[in-house]
Amino acid sequence: MNGTPLTTICQAKDSPSLSKVYEWIRTNKSFASKILQARRVAAQTYLDKMIAELENADNKNIMVVREKLHHYRWMASKLIAIYGDKQEVKVDQKIEITWNGDEEKKVIDVTES
């Protein structure tokens, strides 16, 4: 959650191998959910670090900082919904039309186009 990549964590002496962790992700939904949550928090951590780095940027390193910020924003857009590029609104609404004296009702589903 602190932004350390999974590959780096798995290289530590007493850590499981990366392939073992990927196997756990594939076979254990609870573990996969925890990894996804950790990656979301890490993405926010990276963005927080980049804000601080951007505020301290100067003419010498501004392009490197911009490139990093661009990458971390992209990553955050994939992991954290509020930073996503696409907003989607779903409408579940039906309109019922009835004519006086007519037994037949017509229901229109406005979600179908």
Side-chain angles (χ1 to χ4, degrees):
M1 286 187 173
N2 68 358
T4 305
L6 189 57
T7 51
T8 303
I9 293 169
C10 290
Q11 290 172 353
K13 185 178 180 181
D14 294 328
S15 295
S17 68
L18 186 59
S19 61
K20 188 64 174 174
V21 172
Y22 284 155
E23 180 184 331
W24 292 340
I25 290 171
R26 187 175 42 79
T27 60
N28 185 329
K29 287 186 179 185
S30 174
F31 183 73
S33 177
K34 289 177 184 176
I35 290 288
L36 181 59
Q37 181 60 28
R39 286 185 171 168
R40 286 181 175 147
V41 171
Q44 185 64 52
T45 301
Y46 275 126
L47 289 176
D48 291 344
K49 288 179 184 178
M50 288 311 302
I51 289 169
E53 198 170 324
L54 189 59
E55 288 175 352
N56 296 321
D58 57 25
N59 290 338
K60 294 178 185 177
N61 69 350
I62 189 66
M63 294 307 289
V64 172
V65 172
R66 271 185 164 168
E67 189 62 30
K68 283 181 177 179
L69 184 59
H70 177 74
H71 171 74
Y72 292 136
R73 278 192 341 213
W74 175 85
M75 183 176 60
S77 75
K78 304 306 175 205
L79 295 172
I80 306 172
I82 61 171
Y83 296 116
D85 299 331
K86 180 180 175 184
Q87 297 292 326
E88 185 175 320
V89 177
K90 291 185 178 182
V91 177
D92 184 19
Q93 187 177 40
K94 293 187 181 186
I95 300 173
E96 185 175 296
I97 301 173
T98 308
W99 286 267
N100 287 339
D102 196 354
E103 296 291 324
E104 183 180 339
K105 290 183 181 180
K106 182 168 184 164
V107 176
I108 302 170
D109 188 350
V110 294
T111 60
E112 296 176 5
S113 299

